[in-house]
Amino acid sequence: MLRTAPRLLRTICTTAAAYQHKLKLALIGQSIFGQEVYNKLRKEGHKVVGVFTVPDKNGQADPLALAAEKDGTPVFKFPRWRAKGKPIQEVVAAYKSVGAELNVLPFCTQFIPMDVIDCPKHGSIIYHPSILPRHRGASAINWTLIQGDKKAGFTIFWADDGLDTGPILLQRECDVGQNDTVDDLYNRFLFPEGIKAMVEAVHLIADGKAPRIPQPKEGATYEGIQKKENAEVVTFYGSSLFDASVPAGQELAIKGASRPGLVTKNGLVVFGNDGKMVLVRNLQFEDGKMIPASKYFSADETTALELTEEEKKMAEDIRAIWKGILSNVAVIEDSTDFFKSGASSMHVVRMLEEIKQKYSGLQLQNEDVYMATKFADFIQMAVRKFRGEDKEEELVIDYVSKNINNMTVNMPYQCFINGQFINADDGKTYDTINPADGSIIASVSSASLADVDKAVAAAKEAFENGEWRRMNARDRGQLMYRLADLMEEHQEELATIESIDSGAVYTLALKTHIGMSVQTFRYFAGWCDKIQASGLVGQHLSEHPDVRKVGFTGSTPTGKQIMKSAAANLKKVSLELGGKSPLIIFSDCELDRAVKMGMGAVYFNKGENCIAAGRLFVEESIHDEFVGKVVEEIKKMKIGDPLDRSTDHGPQNHKAHLEKLLHYCETGVKEGATLVYGGRQVHRPGFFMEPTVFTDVEDHMYIAQEESFGPVMVISKFKNGDVDGVLRRANATEYGLASGVFTKDISKALYISEKLEAGTVFINTYNKTDVAAPFGGFKLSGFGKDLGEEALHEYLRTKAITVEY
């Protein structure tokens, strides 16, 4: 009795060493695996004198038969080789007529008589998906996983009259990962390496170098045969270890399990005897029907729908599409099974595309066909989708509502984890304050370390097993475009929330904070199908072993701490940190433009801007005029309610930051800098800081070296014509985020730009960024990029794959 593993799914090209001798071969087997072995052996120069495979199924020939028939190789399709335990003589005679020197059984599920096995000069070799003698018999690879083996593999052995007990010719093995499935092992190792090994084995036999190693008795296991009437067969698909806290769900009794399973919104959670959990995505029952495990208790899945006249017409149109594909089937009955009638994965694509042409509103995925293979089930599924009944349950959100800025704004205040808004694990909250008047906007859930663990586990599960991973790249891009569209649709509401939460002037929030976010999502959405192949919470995230990439925008001290934490498991990090960006203004500039742009470089978003010009170097001959014009323009600025469209200058983000800025200005005065304007809190409710100007700032002063992150203009003179001198002063900082230069001399501008040690250089402008341009700093301003194609690579892993043909 000789048989091998279930059908294999993937093909791969291989190369063998140059061997001297060639053989006449008979191939006995089936499937794509058999087809690939056949093709490779012929390519290596061996002569296949006969192919013995299974009869056509529903008018569809086996892949091995198709390949052989195309080449003109004799093909025999025997339904069986034995009758009542004895060889069928006509079959044996037909086999002997081809004159094979070696039988190769790459994928044989039939029982082959020993008259055939022993007939050729070199006998027969067969592939078995286990490291013999372990797991002899059928379903060997399943038992490898069931028994928790750390190693899987296959054996090419010499066939004998026992059950997979013949001498071993060669073996190969691989590691078994904790989330590996049968398909994983076949596709990654057993299939591609098995094809190469079969070809290698034939070469060894041809050259007289093939060993015959007796199988030891030790280590052998056998499949336990369970009577069908004693078992309810349910097959799990899409299973993976579930490494998180026990989720909420409805209990499902599972015979033999240590405790009942849980049917959750993400699938069925099964508990092993070792206490670990496995998440199962789909379930297939004995009759072949497959359902999402999350729908196990759903009455809607089993209750037949009454179709409308329009839906009946759609059903008949789909029936006609099935008939066009399954041409070998006389009539498409409700019980007709798409795959059992001979359809393949290629037919799935064709069928869905034909349906899409007729019914563009019916969005079906490949997986839907596998979940409903019978025509009646497929129609029920399609109608549910057509009606929109398959949509997910509406998200439950608790809001704080405020009537503000001529609209009602609804603001969630809970943690958003695993697709749900929930309170913090320990129930703690903190008040978020409107900086314009000091009022409480909402009491927001304060995430704990436990919440971080939940969020990371949910993100990991979504990344490894969620819809995004199974989605094609174009669909991912469409979702990101949809997000951008929704943000644009609600941009006034989002800008209002940003304004009352951070103090950003409404028009700025609308154009930049929200507008640029929309542009960013649209930019990266376009890349989707173009890719080839607070102290404790933050620290816990950066240390968490399941977080593989950290992107951080904030202060340099915090960035350093993140680097230390991330070093624990060498995770990828990109940092956009502090800055003290220099802006050099030469006397040959367009002065009014330099004044306007220079003010924007400092006061944009009340100075709370990572690339704000932290120090202005103004050439001596225009210094006083420049300062005078700046003060004149400051006096025209309207300070007030950020929701007022005419407001130029809003409040600082929070009270502590305002107090820090006041201390910053006091320090500047104490060190000898001249406070020309501002430096005080505005006399009105809220956290408003006057736009401030300092001159006579020396390089050693605190305000010349440290970032204010506020509306403080720090001005230093430089001597007329001293280009290299001002460059040295501009670069004499540990920061290198952004920089700028104003001059009409383009040669000088390009020379300055090349020498400035900063990730971004603006010439005769400032703050003019684009989502397609890479953005990031040097030195203590961090590393890595936030925008453009380079930013995309921060979130990708480059892998080199070498294949030898």
Side-chain angles (χ1 to χ4, degrees), residues 432-435 441 496-504 652-654:
T432 181
I433 305 297
N434 184 340
I441 301 173
T496 299
I497 294 172
E498 175 70 1
S499 187
I500 65 172
D501 184 54
S502 73
Q652 304 309 135
N653 190 266
H654 53 82

Side-chain angles (χ1 to χ4, degrees), residues 335-356:
S335 59
T336 300
D337 188 287
F338 192 68
F339 295 106
K340 290 181 180 178
S341 299
S344 66
S345 58
M346 194 64 205
H347 296 124
V348 171
V349 176
R350 173 184 163 185
M351 187 251 284
L352 294 185
E353 287 301 312
E354 288 191 42
I355 292 175
K356 193 184 298 182

Side-chain angles (χ1 to χ4, degrees), residues 651-684:
Q652 304 309 135
N653 190 266
H654 53 82
K655 185 178 181 182
H657 184 46
L658 172 64
E659 292 172 347
K660 181 181 176 182
L661 287 172
L662 294 173
H663 178 72
Y664 184 90
C665 293
E666 290 171 5
T667 303
V669 172
K670 287 178 182 177
E671 288 190 326
T674 301
L675 179 61
V676 176
Y677 192 91
R680 298 169 298 181
Q681 182 175 359
V682 178
H683 294 295
R684 56 163 294 157

Side-chain angles (χ1 to χ4, degrees), residues 301-430:
E301 292 293 316
T302 56
T303 304
L305 298 173
E306 186 70 29
L307 272 56
T308 65
E309 291 303 314
E310 180 188 6
E311 291 164 351
K312 288 177 181 177
K313 181 182 182 306
M314 182 176 75
E316 291 310 307
D317 288 339
I318 294 175
R319 193 188 300 272
I321 291 171
W322 277 46
K323 183 67 179 73
I325 295 171
L326 305 175
S327 56
N328 55 298
V329 180
V331 180
I332 304 297
E333 307 281 359
D334 283 354
S335 59
T336 300
D337 188 287
F338 192 68
F339 295 106
K340 290 181 180 178
S341 299
S344 66
S345 58
M346 194 64 205
H347 296 124
V348 171
V349 176
R350 173 184 163 185
M351 187 251 284
L352 294 185
E353 287 301 312
E354 288 191 42
I355 292 175
K356 193 184 298 182
Q357 278 187 328
K358 291 188 85 66
Y359 296 94
S360 58
L362 180 56
Q363 297 298 315
L364 299 174
Q365 307 297 325
N366 290 7
E367 188 178 70
D368 295 324
V369 186
Y370 294 96
M371 301 291 277
T373 61
K374 292 182 180 178
F375 182 76
D377 294 337
F378 184 85
I379 292 299
Q380 290 283 310
M381 176 273 299
V383 169
R384 291 184 198 281
K385 285 184 174 288
F386 193 66
R387 293 180 181 181
E389 293 182 11
D390 65 320
K391 292 181 179 176
E392 294 183 4
E393 296 179 10
E394 188 173 346
L395 190 64
V396 178
I397 308 174
D398 290 336
Y399 296 106
V400 168
S401 293
K402 288 188 179 293
N403 293 314
I404 192 167
N405 199 20
N406 300 316
M407 68 182 79
T408 300
V409 178
N410 297 319
M411 294 170 283
Y413 55 83
Q414 296 169 295
C415 301
F416 188 68
I417 299 175
N418 199 20
Q420 294 181 316
F421 284 96
I422 59 174
N423 292 327
D425 188 75
D426 57 10
K428 290 184 178 179
T429 63
Y430 70 93

Side-chain angles (χ1 to χ4, degrees), residues 99-164:
E101 297 174 314
L102 173 69
N103 290 333
V104 178
L105 286 73
F107 191 99
C108 183
T109 59
Q110 295 176 313
F111 294 91
I112 311 300
M114 291 309 296
D115 303 50
V116 172
I117 293 296
D118 292 336
C119 182
K121 177 172 67 173
H122 295 293
S124 302
I125 59 169
I126 187 168
Y127 171 96
H128 195 275
S130 77
I131 309 173
L132 291 174
R134 189 161 178 79
H135 306 313
R136 290 171 177 155
S139 304
I141 188 57
N142 298 70
W143 287 99
T144 295
L145 296 177
I146 290 169
Q147 301 227 346
D149 293 358
K150 300 300 182 185
K151 295 284 185 182
F154 59 82
T155 303
I156 311 295
F157 70 100
W158 300 92
D160 67 355
D161 58 356
L163 182 64
D164 310 330

Side-chain angles (χ1 to χ4, degrees), residues 704-716:
Q705 296 180 359
E706 296 298 324
E707 180 182 28
S708 69
F709 206 67
V712 182
M713 183 178 285
V714 176
I715 302 176
S716 298

Side-chain angles (χ1 to χ4, degrees), residues 610-632:
C610 56
I611 59 172
R615 191 174 181 192
L616 277 65
F617 295 93
V618 182
E619 197 161 13
E620 198 171 42
S621 59
I622 62 166
H623 175 273
D624 292 347
E625 185 180 3
F626 178 87
V627 173
K629 285 180 175 288
V630 166
V631 172
E632 187 178 324

